[in-house]
Amino acid sequence: MTVDQEPSDRALLAAIGERDRGALHELFTRHQPWLAARVRQRCSDPAIVAEVVNDTFLVVWDKPGKYQGDGEVAAWLWGIAIRTLLHRLRPRKSVLERLGQLRHEHAPSAEEAVLLAVEHSDVGQALQRLSPELLAVVRATVLDGLSTREAAALLGIPSGTVKSRMSRARSELREALL
Amino acid sequence: MIEAIALTKSYGGTRAVDDVTLSADRGVIGLLGPNGAGKTSLLRMAATVLAPDEGSLRLLGLDPGRADERVQIRRRLGYLPQSPGLYPGFTPYDMVDYVAVLKEHTDRERRRHEVRRVLEAVTLQDVMHRKIRALSGGMKQRVALACALVGQPDLLVLDEPANGLDPDQRLGLRSLLSAAPTVLMATHNISEVSALCQQVYVMFTGRVRFAGTPAELAGLAHGRVWEDDRQDPDAVRSWLTPTGSYRHLGDPPSGAAVVDPTLDDGYLLLARMEHAP
Amino acid sequence: MSTHHPAWHADDQDLATYLAGSAPLVLAASLESHLLGCASCRGRLAALTGPDEQELAWSRLADRVDRPSRSPWIVRSAIATPLMMQAALVAVLLVGLVPLVAASAFGDAGLLTLLVLAPLAPVAAVALAYRDGSDPSGEIALVAPTAGLRLVALRALLVAAVALPLAFGVLLAVDLWIDDVPLRLAFAWCLPGLALSALVLLAGTTRIDPLHVALTASVGWALLVGAVVVAHRTLRPEVFADAIAGPGVQAVALTVALAAVALTVVRRDAVAYRRIA
């Protein structure tokens, strides 16, 4: 089992910053399969999936410096991919909306951090009991790291609904876990 | 593919290329000789850079002296000059793309595939988007080689193509060149000739002193190489080999241990004859 | 990369179910969360997907990545090279700024300086196009089928296309802010400038260095302006305009320009072997 990969993903990003196409290929080889698989869970059109993954790596090639140097490179990649998918599925309508977006940047709450860190555990059991609508909201906001507005756009429901379903999910989970 | 008859080129009073006749059809033709032997001048004529003073030259069945035919030759020609100029601020991709445009590859998609193909052929795919000034000498040489290879030319004229390449890259060069129809390359590296060339011309002071196969060049020293454990003052040349014994070139004394000649032996003997009064 | 979950790894069956899209939401969420931090499970997931699919995706990405990094209109057209554009820009700035400063400081004398310098912009453009340094790729570019007069003329035209509007812009600036420029004066220098440039272009087909011709032409033009000034004992630009914009001078300039261009086209063949020998 290969746990440590050489060079590390971060080293690859640094090399990509120096226009090393071989490093891009290596990063692509490591991360394209799971990224494609994960996008495919959220979009059934294979053409769009391919496009989203492609555009994700293009962002990496053009702006590898955007990686802040903290956290998993994989998580950073997913952040790019899910937002690319979002834009591809539901292009934003106006600059005004985008400005509104900036003020509502999503910051994970303590509960969400717990959800993120634990899996195949009690939380998993608890999640299993949630209704599909609530689960979809949890997945979009907690796992995919989207803001309320982005989650609403992805799921095609109003922001208010996302908020109410999320609070329902929170209370159900709290009950199940305590 | 190359037909040169009695080519002559002078600079001032000196004849850089003196009455050279050379004929090559297909395969890799090596041009061997010391620096200043006229190899580069001959190559520049074969690359349509230089017009010969006298003699006739036909490349790919065409006359480079005529403007229209020269353009036709240049469409099918790849040339690696002795000191290739590369833009340091360009990437290898930009550089080869630029040369491809000059070579009339106007279709953007096809040009992209061709540029990528030659850069992969010289194994520069990983660095093809870095600035040339950040590349090593061997990489720069391969960029220039890619410029020569772009467009799959029928005639390749290469001046010291293995300059700055490591042994691994030299091997790669070998397979690259075996794919081209006709290659005329200058070198002062004898091992390259034995590895690459089907035909070899040896030049000294502007004149061709030998023309034949590499085996024939080695054969010049047949029966004239022997080994001994001490130096022999009567030999034309003697040198210490890594095994500790001396290798001698010349007329062997009776009872000497005559060995099979190599290409080096043939070339050295030729060079000796050239300098002998 | 170390994982957050050393105790637990996804099993292949789960990964396969996930890949097929038939994993329940909770399993999928659990796997996704794990995959973010576990390189080894990512590797096993990759092993379960077809290599062909990834190959295809990579070639798709490579098609987007492998593009020239240079601004398209300069290099993709392969007309002007960066070095040349930089040199041209410096020349244009000199031609533009020196008289502007002079005009604001000394009035009429500055306008005259401008008139001396304006026609030299196209002359410099042509001379630059012939310089060896204008194309560091040297012999690589020289043996391209597009090399020769076509390339030189295209380069000169491109630089002139940048330089001329700037020259007019400077005249306009002088007119607006410093002094009234008679309209005929603003155009009077065009034909002489063209004639001088054409002479430099013609020089490129001979063994004479175009740079020498360009310098001679520039000095000649400055002397002409000086002669007019001396003859009329005045610095008024109108007087000079009358002399230069007169039909006689303009007709001569036009004739010289046309003749030189025609001769260059006839002798275009010589450009290809330009001063290489």
Side-chain angles (χ1 to χ4, degrees):
Chain A
M1 197 179 305
T2 54
V3 172
D4 288 305
Q5 278 174 307
E6 280 302 325
S8 71
D9 286 348
R10 285 172 205 206
L12 288 180
L13 278 182
I16 290 170
E18 284 162 15
R19 316 311 284 158
D20 187 335
R21 186 178 179 270
L24 180 72
H25 191 205
E26 178 59 27
L27 195 78
F28 183 87
T29 309
R30 287 183 194 174
H31 293 284
Q32 185 269 344
W34 74 266
L35 266 177
R38 189 160 173 182
V39 175
R40 213 178 292 126
Q41 309 287 321
R42 286 148 181 84
C43 172
S44 54
D45 185 338
I48 294 179
V49 173
E51 206 176 297
V52 165
V53 174
N54 201 48
D55 288 355
T56 302
F57 281 99
L58 270 182
V59 170
V60 173
W61 177 246
D62 289 332
K63 293 164 186 132
K66 280 208 166 178
Y67 175 68
Q68 297 297 321
D70 48 354
E72 291 283 349
V73 170
W76 178 68
L77 287 174
W78 173 248
I80 300 170
I82 184 69
R83 280 174 180 82
T84 309
L85 175 69
L86 194 65
H87 289 209
R88 183 67 187 71
L89 291 179
R90 303 183 202 280
R92 294 228 189 93
K93 286 179 200 83
S94 71
V95 185
L96 268 177
E97 243 180 290
R98 232 178 284 182
L99 283 171
Q101 175 89 33
L102 283 174
R103 273 185 248 126
H104 294 94
E105 275 305 330
H106 173 78
S109 67
E111 284 156 304
E112 287 166 4
V114 171
L115 283 174
L116 260 175
V118 188
E119 72 221 6
H120 261 235
S121 61
D122 296 348
V123 182
Q125 304 280 317
L127 277 172
Q128 217 138 20
R129 282 191 228 116
L130 292 180
S131 68
E133 306 91 72
L134 296 191
L135 205 50
V137 169
V138 171
R139 181 170 80 166
T141 57
V142 182
L143 290 172
D144 293 348
L146 296 179
S147 69
T148 307
R149 216 174 263 271
E150 285 170 331
L154 183 71
L155 300 171
I157 53 177
S159 299
T161 314
V162 173
K163 277 184 199 158
S164 62
R165 283 186 190 170
M166 192 58 210
S167 71
R168 250 171 62 210
R170 278 204 195 99
S171 59
E172 279 186 32
L173 285 171
R174 207 172 291 134
E175 263 171 48
L177 287 168
L178 292 176
Chain B
M1 292 294 211
I2 304 175
E3 282 289 337
I5 300 165
L7 279 190
T8 298
K9 182 77 198 175
S10 306
Y11 298 101
T14 50
R15 293 192 155 197
V17 174
D18 189 2
D19 192 26
V20 165
T21 294
L22 181 148
S23 149
D25 191 16
R26 298 181 81 79
V28 183
I29 301 100
L31 216 51
L32 204 58
N35 288 329
K39 304 189 300 276
T40 292
S41 297
L42 183 59
L43 286 191
R44 291 171 89 194
M45 287 191 268
T48 76
V49 175
L50 215 59
D53 295 338
E54 287 165 47
S56 99
L57 177 63
R58 289 189 81 77
L59 304 166
L60 302 164
L62 298 159
D63 178 5
R66 292 172 49 110
D68 52 337
E69 292 187 22
R70 183 166 60 237
V71 170
Q72 288 183 49
I73 294 167
R74 287 176 171 183
R75 287 199 176 106
R76 298 164 59 193
L77 171 79
Y79 175 42
L80 175 74
Q82 192 175 34
S83 41
L86 302 169
Y87 293 104
F90 272 34
T91 65
Y93 189 97
D94 289 338
M95 188 67 219
V96 179
D97 191 55
Y98 169 65
V99 173
V101 173
L102 288 180
K103 283 188 179 176
E104 298 176 326
H105 293 253
T106 47
D107 183 282
R108 204 171 290 184
E109 275 313 299
R110 277 164 59 187
R111 190 168 74 237
R112 178 161 63 232
H113 283 110
E114 179 60 13
V115 169
R116 198 156 57 185
R117 184 189 69 83
V118 293
L119 283 168
E120 278 168 6
V122 298
T123 60
L124 284 177
Q125 65 270 29
D126 286 355
V127 296
M128 68 172 151
H129 296 298
R130 302 183 70 163
K131 293 268 193 285
I132 287 176
R133 72 166 69 87
L135 303 183
S136 71
M139 286 175 174
K140 286 177 188 161
Q141 177 74 2
R142 283 182 283 152
V143 175
L145 197 59
C147 291
L149 291 171
V150 78
Q152 290 185 299
D154 296 325
L155 172 62
L156 271 178
V157 177
L158 311 173
D159 206 340
E160 306 277 358
N163 245 356
L165 299 189
D166 64 33
D168 211 34
Q169 293 157 354
R170 277 164 199 255
L171 263 173
L173 179 68
R174 203 166 156 179
S175 61
L176 268 182
L177 296 191
S178 57
T182 308
V183 183
L184 179 64
M185 60 172 261
T187 178
H188 50 233
N189 186 329
I190 297 167
S191 66
E192 257 163 51
V193 171
S194 53
L196 290 169
C197 302
Q198 281 96 58
Q199 251 192 94
V200 54
Y201 286 79
V202 182
M203 283 181 83
F204 291 105
T205 56
R207 302 183 77 99
V208 169
R209 294 299 183 190
F210 172 86
T213 65
E216 283 166 354
L217 179 56
L220 286 182
H222 186 74
R224 309 190 64 189
V225 188
W226 72 99
E227 287 190 344
D228 206 340
D229 51 6
R230 52 198 164 72
Q231 227 163 344
D232 191 331
D234 293 332
V236 176
R237 282 198 77 165
S238 307
W239 65 96
L240 195 60
T241 64
T243 58
S245 62
Y246 282 88
R247 197 173 173 96
H248 306 284
L249 217 53
D251 296 316
S254 57
V258 174
V259 295
D260 281 340
T262 64
L263 208 56
D264 288 83
D265 298 327
Y267 177 77
L268 285 172
L269 202 65
L270 208 59
R272 209 65 201 171
M273 279 148 59
E274 178 67 24
H275 295 304
Chain C
M1 203 154 286
S2 63
T3 122
H4 303 315
H5 315 282
W8 185 83
H9 282 291
D11 66 49
D12 282 359
Q13 187 59 52
D14 283 350
L15 287 174
T17 315
Y18 174 71
L19 274 174
S22 48
L25 213 48
V26 171
L27 174 63
S30 168
L31 285 175
E32 284 171 357
S33 176
H34 176 72
L35 283 171
L36 280 187
C38 181
S40 123
C41 285
R42 288 199 294 264
R44 282 189 300 120
L45 179 119
L48 290 172
T49 59
D52 294 350
E53 191 197 327
Q54 205 184 4
E55 197 57 44
L56 198 73
W58 169 253
S59 75
R60 184 189 168 122
L61 179 64
D63 275 350
R64 294 287 304 276
V65 165
D66 296 340
R67 282 166 197 275
S69 65
R70 287 276 148 181
S71 56
W73 69 277
I74 293 185
V75 172
R76 263 181 226 164
S77 55
I79 290 167
T81 52
L83 206 77
M84 205 185 139
M85 290 309 280
Q86 284 158 19
L89 212 67
V90 171
V92 163
L93 278 177
L94 280 178
V95 170
L97 284 182
V98 170
L100 206 60
V101 172
S104 54
F106 311 110
D108 287 344
L111 200 54
L112 270 178
T113 323
L114 180 61
L115 280 171
V116 174
L117 290 179
L120 303 187
V123 171
V126 177
L128 266 174
Y130 270 121
R131 292 319 289 164
D132 286 341
S134 72
D135 194 344
S137 56
E139 290 184 4
I140 292 181
L142 191 73
V143 300
T146 42
L149 184 63
R150 205 166 121 201
L151 200 58
V152 167
L154 278 171
R155 286 194 170 135
L157 276 178
L158 195 88
V159 177
V162 176
L164 285 181
L166 267 162
F168 276 113
V170 170
L171 273 171
L172 196 70
V174 171
D175 183 44
L176 278 180
W177 291 304
I178 298 162
D179 209 346
D180 279 343
V181 181
L183 189 66
R184 62 176 193 280
L185 190 57
F187 290 97
W189 60 269
C190 289
L191 273 180
L194 195 67
L196 295 180
S197 315
L199 282 178
V200 178
L201 191 67
L202 179 61
T205 69
T206 66
R207 284 190 168 270
I208 308 167
D209 190 333
L211 192 68
H212 294 164
V213 176
L215 286 174
T216 312
S218 309
V219 172
W221 175 254
L223 285 177
L224 184 70
V225 176
V228 172
V229 169
V230 170
H232 293 85
R233 294 169 200 282
T234 174
L235 277 173
R236 295 299 304 160
E238 291 83 355
V239 177
F240 180 69
D242 288 337
I244 293 300
V249 173
Q250 293 285 316
V252 169
L254 184 66
T255 314
V256 170
L258 289 178
V261 167
L263 252 174
T264 310
V265 171
V266 170
R267 295 182 52 81
R268 64 184 177 278
D269 188 26
V271 176
Y273 279 130
R274 169 177 57 101
R275 302 198 328 280
I276 279 294

